[in-house]
Amino acid sequence: MQEQIDIETWAMIRAQQIVMQQGANLVVAAQRLDHKKTTANTYALRTAIMASLIEAMQAPPTEAAMHAQAGLQPA
């Protein structure tokens, strides 16, 4: 159970970081009607999301995840 909470906490923190960094840049560029920067920041936001998904997939499996895949209840 604690491992599930840890994963959820990591995901929320990571999402907040992405939105604060890349999302804010995208909003500013869009407000300034800067097409080039809006496009660049859109790609930066996509890249950050993809990187976080890859990071999540490469993390070692938790005990809870292994039990869930096996269809077992965690101890």
Coordinates of all heavy atoms in Angstrom, one line a residue:
M1 N 0.8 -1.2 0.0 CA 0.0 0.0 0.0 C 0.9 1.3 0.0 O 0.6 2.2 -0.7 CB -0.9 0.0 1.2 CG -1.8 1.1 1.3 SD -3.1 1.0 0.0 CE -4.2 2.3 0.5
Q2 N 1.9 1.3 0.8 CA 2.8 2.4 0.9 C 3.5 2.7 -0.5 O 3.7 3.8 -0.9 CB 3.8 2.2 2.0 CG 4.8 3.4 2.1 CD 4.1 4.7 2.5 OE1 3.1 4.7 3.3 NE2 4.6 5.8 2.0
E3 N 3.8 1.6 -1.2 CA 4.5 1.7 -2.5 C 3.5 2.4 -3.5 O 4.0 3.2 -4.3 CB 4.9 0.3 -3.0 CG 6.0 -0.2 -2.1 CD 6.2 -1.7 -2.3 OE1 5.4 -2.4 -2.9 OE2 7.2 -2.2 -1.8
Q4 N 2.2 2.1 -3.4 CA 1.3 2.7 -4.3 C 1.2 4.2 -4.0 O 1.2 5.0 -4.9 CB -0.1 2.1 -4.1 CG -1.2 2.6 -5.0 CD -0.9 2.4 -6.5 OE1 -0.3 1.4 -6.9 NE2 -1.5 3.2 -7.4
I5 N 1.2 4.6 -2.7 CA 1.2 6.0 -2.3 C 2.4 6.7 -2.8 O 2.4 7.8 -3.3 CB 1.0 6.1 -0.8 CG1 -0.4 5.6 -0.4 CG2 1.2 7.5 -0.4 CD1 -0.6 5.4 1.1
D6 N 3.6 6.0 -2.7 CA 4.8 6.6 -3.2 C 4.8 6.8 -4.7 O 5.3 7.9 -5.1 CB 6.0 5.6 -2.8 CG 6.3 5.5 -1.4 OD1 5.8 6.4 -0.6 OD2 7.0 4.6 -0.9
I7 N 4.3 5.9 -5.4 CA 4.2 6.1 -6.9 C 3.2 7.2 -7.2 O 3.6 8.1 -8.1 CB 3.7 4.7 -7.6 CG1 4.7 3.7 -7.4 CG2 3.3 5.0 -9.0 CD1 4.2 2.3 -7.8
E8 N 2.1 7.3 -6.5 CA 1.1 8.4 -6.8 C 1.8 9.7 -6.4 O 1.6 10.7 -7.2 CB -0.1 8.1 -6.0 CG -0.9 7.0 -6.5 CD -2.1 6.6 -5.7 OE1 -2.3 7.3 -4.6 OE2 -2.8 5.7 -6.0
T9 N 2.5 9.8 -5.3 CA 3.1 11.0 -4.9 C 4.2 11.4 -5.9 O 4.2 12.6 -6.3 CB 3.8 10.8 -3.5 OG1 2.8 10.5 -2.6 CG2 4.4 12.1 -3.1
W10 N 5.0 10.5 -6.4 CA 6.0 10.8 -7.4 C 5.3 11.3 -8.7 O 5.7 12.3 -9.2 CB 6.8 9.5 -7.8 CG 7.7 9.8 -8.9 CD1 9.0 10.3 -8.9 CD2 7.4 9.5 -10.3 NE1 9.5 10.4 -10.1 CE2 8.6 9.9 -11.0 CE3 6.3 9.0 -11.0 CZ2 8.6 9.8 -12.4 CZ3 6.4 8.9 -12.4 CH2 7.5 9.3 -13.1
A11 N 4.2 10.7 -9.1 CA 3.5 11.1 -10.3 C 3.0 12.5 -10.2 O 3.1 13.3 -11.1 CB 2.4 10.1 -10.7
M12 N 2.4 12.8 -9.0 CA 1.8 14.2 -8.8 C 2.9 15.2 -8.8 O 2.8 16.3 -9.4 CB 1.0 14.2 -7.5 CG -0.3 13.5 -7.6 SD -1.4 13.7 -6.2 CE -0.4 13.0 -4.9
I13 N 4.0 14.9 -8.1 CA 5.1 15.9 -8.0 C 5.7 16.1 -9.4 O 6.0 17.2 -9.8 CB 6.2 15.4 -7.0 CG1 5.6 15.5 -5.6 CG2 7.5 16.2 -7.2 CD1 6.5 14.8 -4.6
R14 N 5.9 15.0 -10.2 CA 6.5 15.1 -11.5 C 5.6 15.9 -12.4 O 6.1 16.7 -13.2 CB 6.8 13.7 -12.0 CG 7.6 13.7 -13.3 CD 9.1 14.1 -12.9 NE 9.8 14.2 -14.2 CZ 10.1 15.4 -14.8 NH1 9.8 16.5 -14.2 NH2 10.8 15.4 -15.9
A15 N 4.3 15.6 -12.4 CA 3.4 16.4 -13.2 C 3.4 17.8 -12.9 O 3.4 18.7 -13.8 CB 2.0 15.8 -13.0
Q16 N 3.4 18.2 -11.6 CA 3.5 19.6 -11.2 C 4.7 20.2 -11.7 O 4.7 21.4 -12.2 CB 3.4 19.7 -9.7 CG 3.4 21.1 -9.2 CD 3.4 21.2 -7.7 OE1 3.8 20.3 -7.0 NE2 2.9 22.4 -7.2
Q17 N 5.9 19.5 -11.6 CA 7.1 20.1 -12.1 C 7.0 20.4 -13.6 O 7.5 21.5 -14.1 CB 8.3 19.1 -11.9 CG 8.7 19.0 -10.4 CD 9.7 17.9 -10.2 OE1 9.8 17.0 -11.0 NE2 10.4 17.9 -9.1
I18 N 6.5 19.5 -14.4 CA 6.3 19.6 -15.8 C 5.5 20.8 -16.1 O 5.8 21.7 -17.0 CB 5.8 18.3 -16.5 CG1 6.9 17.2 -16.4 CG2 5.4 18.6 -17.9 CD1 6.4 15.9 -16.8
V19 N 4.3 20.9 -15.5 CA 3.4 22.0 -15.7 C 4.0 23.3 -15.3 O 3.9 24.3 -16.1 CB 2.1 21.8 -15.0 CG1 1.2 23.0 -15.0 CG2 1.3 20.6 -15.6
M20 N 4.7 23.4 -14.2 CA 5.3 24.6 -13.7 C 6.4 25.1 -14.7 O 6.5 26.3 -14.9 CB 5.8 24.5 -12.3 CG 4.7 24.3 -11.3 SD 3.5 25.6 -11.2 CE 4.5 27.0 -10.6
Q21 N 7.2 24.2 -15.2 CA 8.3 24.5 -16.0 C 7.9 24.7 -17.5 O 7.9 25.8 -18.0 CB 9.4 23.5 -16.0 CG 10.1 23.4 -14.6 CD 11.0 22.2 -14.5 OE1 11.1 21.4 -15.4 NE2 11.5 22.0 -13.3
Q22 N 7.4 23.7 -18.1 CA 7.1 23.7 -19.5 C 5.8 24.3 -19.8 O 5.7 25.1 -20.8 CB 7.1 22.3 -20.1 CG 8.4 21.5 -19.8 CD 9.6 22.2 -20.4 OE1 9.6 22.9 -21.4 NE2 10.8 22.0 -19.7
G23 N 4.8 24.1 -19.0 CA 3.5 24.7 -19.2 C 3.5 26.2 -19.1 O 2.9 26.9 -19.9
A24 N 4.2 26.6 -18.1 CA 4.3 28.1 -17.9 C 5.0 28.8 -19.1 O 4.5 29.8 -19.5 CB 5.0 28.4 -16.6
N25 N 6.0 28.2 -19.6 CA 6.7 28.7 -20.8 C 5.7 28.8 -22.0 O 5.7 29.7 -22.7 CB 7.9 27.9 -21.1 CG 9.0 28.0 -20.1 OD1 9.1 28.9 -19.3 ND2 9.9 27.1 -20.1
L26 N 4.9 27.7 -22.1 CA 4.0 27.6 -23.2 C 2.9 28.7 -23.1 O 2.6 29.4 -24.1 CB 3.3 26.3 -23.3 CG 2.3 26.0 -24.4 CD1 2.9 26.3 -25.7 CD2 1.8 24.6 -24.2
V27 N 2.4 28.9 -21.9 CA 1.4 30.0 -21.7 C 2.0 31.4 -22.0 O 1.3 32.2 -22.7 CB 0.9 29.9 -20.2 CG1 0.1 31.1 -19.9 CG2 0.1 28.6 -20.0
V28 N 3.1 31.6 -21.5 CA 3.7 33.0 -21.8 C 3.9 33.2 -23.3 O 3.6 34.3 -23.8 CB 5.1 33.1 -21.0 CG1 5.8 34.4 -21.5 CG2 4.8 33.1 -19.5
A29 N 4.4 32.2 -24.0 CA 4.6 32.3 -25.4 C 3.3 32.5 -26.1 O 3.2 33.4 -27.0 CB 5.4 31.1 -26.0
A30 N 2.3 31.8 -25.7 CA 1.0 32.0 -26.3 C 0.4 33.3 -26.1 O -0.2 34.0 -27.0 CB 0.0 30.9 -25.9
Q31 N 0.5 33.8 -24.8 CA 0.0 35.2 -24.5 C 0.7 36.2 -25.3 O 0.1 37.3 -25.6 CB 0.2 35.4 -23.0 CG -0.8 34.7 -22.1 CD -0.5 34.9 -20.7 OE1 0.6 35.3 -20.3 NE2 -1.5 34.6 -19.8
R32 N 2.0 36.0 -25.6 CA 2.7 37.0 -26.4 C 2.5 36.9 -27.9 O 3.1 37.6 -28.7 CB 4.2 37.0 -26.1 CG 4.5 37.4 -24.6 CD 5.9 37.3 -24.3 NE 6.1 37.7 -22.9 CZ 7.3 37.6 -22.3 NH1 8.3 37.0 -22.8 NH2 7.4 38.0 -21.0
L33 N 1.7 35.9 -28.3 CA 1.4 35.6 -29.7 C 2.7 35.3 -30.5 O 2.8 35.6 -31.6 CB 0.6 36.7 -30.3 CG -0.7 37.0 -29.7 CD1 -1.4 38.2 -30.3 CD2 -1.7 35.8 -29.7
D34 N 3.6 34.6 -29.8 CA 4.9 34.3 -30.4 C 4.8 32.8 -30.9 O 4.9 31.9 -30.2 CB 6.0 34.4 -29.4 CG 7.4 34.2 -30.0 OD1 7.5 33.5 -31.0 OD2 8.4 34.8 -29.5
H35 N 4.5 32.7 -32.2 CA 4.2 31.4 -32.8 C 5.5 30.5 -32.7 O 5.3 29.3 -32.4 CB 3.8 31.6 -34.3 CG 3.5 30.3 -35.0 ND1 2.4 29.5 -34.6 CD2 4.2 29.6 -35.9 CE1 2.4 28.4 -35.3 NE2 3.5 28.4 -36.1
K36 N 6.6 31.0 -33.0 CA 7.8 30.2 -32.9 C 8.1 29.6 -31.5 O 8.3 28.4 -31.3 CB 9.1 30.9 -33.4 CG 9.1 31.1 -34.9 CD 10.4 31.8 -35.3 CE 10.4 32.0 -36.8 NZ 11.7 32.7 -37.2
K37 N 8.0 30.5 -30.5 CA 8.2 30.0 -29.2 C 7.1 29.1 -28.7 O 7.3 28.2 -27.9 CB 8.4 31.2 -28.2 CG 9.7 31.9 -28.3 CD 9.9 32.9 -27.3 CE 11.3 33.5 -27.4 NZ 11.6 34.5 -26.4
T38 N 5.8 29.4 -29.1 CA 4.7 28.5 -28.8 C 4.9 27.1 -29.3 O 4.8 26.1 -28.6 CB 3.4 29.1 -29.3 OG1 3.2 30.4 -28.7 CG2 2.2 28.2 -29.0
T39 N 5.4 27.0 -30.6 CA 5.7 25.7 -31.2 C 6.8 25.1 -30.4 O 6.7 23.9 -30.1 CB 6.0 25.9 -32.7 OG1 4.9 26.5 -33.3 CG2 6.3 24.6 -33.3
A40 N 7.9 25.8 -30.2 CA 9.0 25.2 -29.5 C 8.6 24.7 -28.1 O 9.0 23.7 -27.6 CB 10.2 26.2 -29.4
N41 N 7.8 25.5 -27.4 CA 7.4 25.1 -26.0 C 6.4 24.0 -26.0 O 6.4 23.2 -25.1 CB 6.8 26.3 -25.3 CG 7.9 27.3 -24.9 OD1 9.0 26.9 -24.4 ND2 7.7 28.6 -25.1
T42 N 5.6 23.9 -27.1 CA 4.7 22.7 -27.2 C 5.6 21.4 -27.3 O 5.3 20.4 -26.7 CB 3.8 22.9 -28.5 OG1 3.0 24.0 -28.3 CG2 3.0 21.6 -28.7
Y43 N 6.6 21.5 -28.2 CA 7.5 20.3 -28.3 C 8.2 20.0 -27.0 O 8.4 18.9 -26.6 CB 8.4 20.5 -29.5 CG 7.8 20.3 -30.8 CD1 7.6 21.4 -31.7 CD2 7.3 19.1 -31.2 CE1 6.9 21.2 -32.9 CE2 6.6 18.9 -32.4 CZ 6.4 20.0 -33.2 OH 5.8 19.8 -34.4
A44 N 8.7 21.1 -26.3 CA 9.3 20.9 -25.0 C 8.4 20.2 -24.0 O 8.8 19.4 -23.2 CB 9.9 22.2 -24.5
L45 N 7.2 20.6 -24.0 CA 6.2 20.0 -23.1 C 6.0 18.6 -23.4 O 6.0 17.7 -22.5 CB 4.9 20.8 -23.1 CG 3.7 20.3 -22.3 CD1 4.1 20.3 -20.8 CD2 2.5 21.2 -22.5
R46 N 5.8 18.3 -24.7 CA 5.7 16.9 -25.1 C 6.9 16.0 -24.7 O 6.8 14.9 -24.2 CB 5.5 16.8 -26.7 CG 4.2 17.2 -27.2 CD 4.2 17.0 -28.7 NE 3.1 17.8 -29.3 CZ 3.0 17.9 -30.6 NH1 3.8 17.3 -31.4 NH2 2.0 18.6 -31.1
T47 N 8.1 16.6 -24.9 CA 9.3 15.9 -24.6 C 9.4 15.6 -23.1 O 9.8 14.5 -22.7 CB 10.5 16.7 -25.1 OG1 10.4 16.9 -26.5 CG2 11.8 16.0 -24.7
A48 N 9.0 16.6 -22.3 CA 9.0 16.4 -20.8 C 8.1 15.3 -20.4 O 8.4 14.5 -19.5 CB 8.7 17.7 -20.1
I49 N 6.9 15.3 -21.0 CA 5.9 14.3 -20.7 C 6.4 12.9 -21.1 O 6.3 11.9 -20.3 CB 4.5 14.6 -21.3 CG1 3.9 15.8 -20.7 CG2 3.6 13.4 -21.2 CD1 2.7 16.4 -21.4
M50 N 7.0 12.8 -22.3 CA 7.5 11.5 -22.8 C 8.7 11.0 -21.9 O 8.7 9.9 -21.5 CB 8.0 11.6 -24.2 CG 6.9 11.7 -25.2 SD 7.4 11.6 -26.9 CE 8.4 13.1 -27.1
A51 N 9.5 11.9 -21.5 CA 10.6 11.6 -20.6 C 10.2 11.1 -19.3 O 10.7 10.1 -18.7 CB 11.6 12.8 -20.4
S52 N 9.1 11.7 -18.7 CA 8.6 11.2 -17.4 C 7.9 9.9 -17.6 O 8.0 9.0 -16.6 CB 7.6 12.3 -16.8 OG 6.4 12.3 -17.6
L53 N 7.3 9.6 -18.7 CA 6.7 8.3 -18.9 C 7.8 7.2 -19.0 O 7.7 6.1 -18.5 CB 5.8 8.3 -20.1 CG 4.5 9.1 -20.0 CD1 3.8 9.2 -21.4 CD2 3.6 8.5 -18.9
I54 N 8.8 7.5 -19.7 CA 10.0 6.6 -19.9 C 10.6 6.4 -18.5 O 10.9 5.3 -18.1 CB 11.0 7.1 -20.9 CG1 10.4 7.1 -22.3 CG2 12.3 6.3 -20.8 CD1 11.2 7.8 -23.4
E55 N 10.8 7.5 -17.7 CA 11.3 7.3 -16.4 C 10.5 6.4 -15.5 O 11.0 5.6 -14.8 CB 11.4 8.7 -15.8 CG 12.0 8.8 -14.4 CD 12.0 10.2 -13.8 OE1 11.8 11.2 -14.5 OE2 12.2 10.3 -12.6
A56 N 9.2 6.6 -15.6 CA 8.3 5.7 -14.8 C 8.3 4.3 -15.3 O 8.3 3.4 -14.4 CB 6.8 6.2 -15.0
M57 N 8.5 4.0 -16.6 CA 8.5 2.7 -17.1 C 9.9 2.0 -16.7 O 9.9 0.8 -16.6 CB 8.3 2.6 -18.6 CG 6.9 3.1 -19.0 SD 5.6 2.1 -18.4 CE 5.9 0.6 -19.2
Q58 N 10.9 2.8 -16.6 CA 12.2 2.2 -16.3 C 12.5 2.0 -14.8 O 13.4 1.4 -14.4 CB 13.3 3.1 -16.8 CG 13.4 3.1 -18.4 CD 14.4 4.0 -18.9 OE1 14.9 4.9 -18.3 NE2 14.7 3.8 -20.2
A59 N 11.6 2.5 -14.0 CA 11.7 2.4 -12.5 C 11.5 0.9 -12.2 O 10.8 0.2 -12.8 CB 10.7 3.2 -11.8
P60 N 12.3 0.4 -11.2 CA 12.2 -1.0 -10.8 C 10.7 -1.2 -10.3 O 10.2 -0.4 -9.6 CB 13.2 -1.2 -9.7 CG 13.6 0.2 -9.3 CD 13.3 1.1 -10.4
P61 N 10.2 -2.4 -10.6 CA 8.8 -2.7 -10.2 C 8.7 -2.8 -8.7 O 9.6 -3.3 -8.0 CB 8.5 -4.0 -10.9 CG 9.8 -4.7 -11.1 CD 10.8 -3.5 -11.4
T62 N 7.7 -2.3 -8.2 CA 7.4 -2.3 -6.7 C 6.8 -3.7 -6.4 O 6.2 -4.4 -7.3 CB 6.5 -1.2 -6.2 OG1 5.2 -1.4 -6.9 CG2 7.1 0.2 -6.6
E63 N 6.8 -4.0 -5.1 CA 6.2 -5.3 -4.7 C 4.7 -5.3 -5.0 O 4.1 -6.3 -5.5 CB 6.4 -5.5 -3.2 CG 5.8 -6.8 -2.7 CD 6.0 -6.9 -1.2 OE1 7.0 -6.4 -0.7 OE2 5.2 -7.6 -0.6
A64 N 4.0 -4.1 -4.8 CA 2.6 -4.0 -5.1 C 2.3 -4.2 -6.6 O 1.4 -4.9 -7.0 CB 2.1 -2.7 -4.7
A65 N 3.2 -3.7 -7.5 CA 3.0 -3.8 -8.9 C 3.2 -5.3 -9.3 O 2.5 -5.8 -10.2 CB 3.9 -2.9 -9.7
M66 N 4.2 -6.0 -8.7 CA 4.4 -7.4 -9.1 C 3.2 -8.2 -8.6 O 2.8 -9.1 -9.4 CB 5.7 -7.9 -8.4 CG 6.9 -7.2 -9.0 SD 8.5 -7.9 -8.4 CE 8.5 -7.2 -6.8
H67 N 2.6 -7.9 -7.5 CA 1.5 -8.7 -7.0 C 0.3 -8.4 -7.9 O -0.5 -9.3 -8.3 CB 1.1 -8.3 -5.6 CG 2.0 -8.9 -4.6 ND1 2.1 -10.2 -4.3 CD2 2.9 -8.3 -3.7 CE1 2.9 -10.5 -3.3 NE2 3.5 -9.3 -3.0
A68 N 0.1 -7.2 -8.3 CA -1.0 -6.8 -9.2 C -0.9 -7.5 -10.6 O -1.9 -8.1 -11.1 CB -1.1 -5.3 -9.4
Q69 N 0.3 -7.6 -11.1 CA 0.5 -8.3 -12.4 C 0.2 -9.8 -12.3 O -0.2 -10.4 -13.2 CB 1.9 -8.1 -12.9 CG 2.2 -6.7 -13.4 CD 3.6 -6.4 -13.8 OE1 4.5 -7.2 -13.5 NE2 3.9 -5.3 -14.5
A70 N 0.6 -10.4 -11.1 CA 0.4 -11.8 -10.9 C -1.1 -12.1 -10.4 O -1.4 -13.2 -10.3 CB 1.3 -12.3 -9.8
G71 N -1.9 -11.0 -10.2 CA -3.2 -11.2 -9.8 C -3.3 -11.6 -8.3 O -4.3 -12.2 -7.9
L72 N -2.3 -11.3 -7.5 CA -2.3 -11.6 -6.1 C -2.5 -10.4 -5.3 O -2.3 -9.3 -5.7 CB -0.9 -12.2 -5.7 CG -0.4 -13.4 -6.5 CD1 1.0 -13.7 -6.2 CD2 -1.3 -14.6 -6.3
Q73 N -2.9 -10.6 -4.0 CA -3.1 -9.6 -3.1 C -1.8 -9.4 -2.3 O -1.2 -10.3 -2.0 CB -4.2 -9.9 -2.0 CG -5.6 -10.0 -2.7 CD -6.1 -8.7 -3.2 OE1 -5.8 -7.6 -2.6 NE2 -6.8 -8.7 -4.3
P74 N -1.3 -8.1 -2.2 CA -0.1 -7.9 -1.4 C -0.2 -8.4 0.0 O -1.3 -8.3 0.6 CB 0.1 -6.4 -1.5 CG -1.1 -5.8 -2.1 CD -1.9 -6.9 -2.6
A75 N 0.9 -8.8 0.6 CA 0.9 -9.3 2.0 C 0.7 -8.2 3.0 O 1.0 -7.1 2.8 CB 2.2 -10.0 2.3

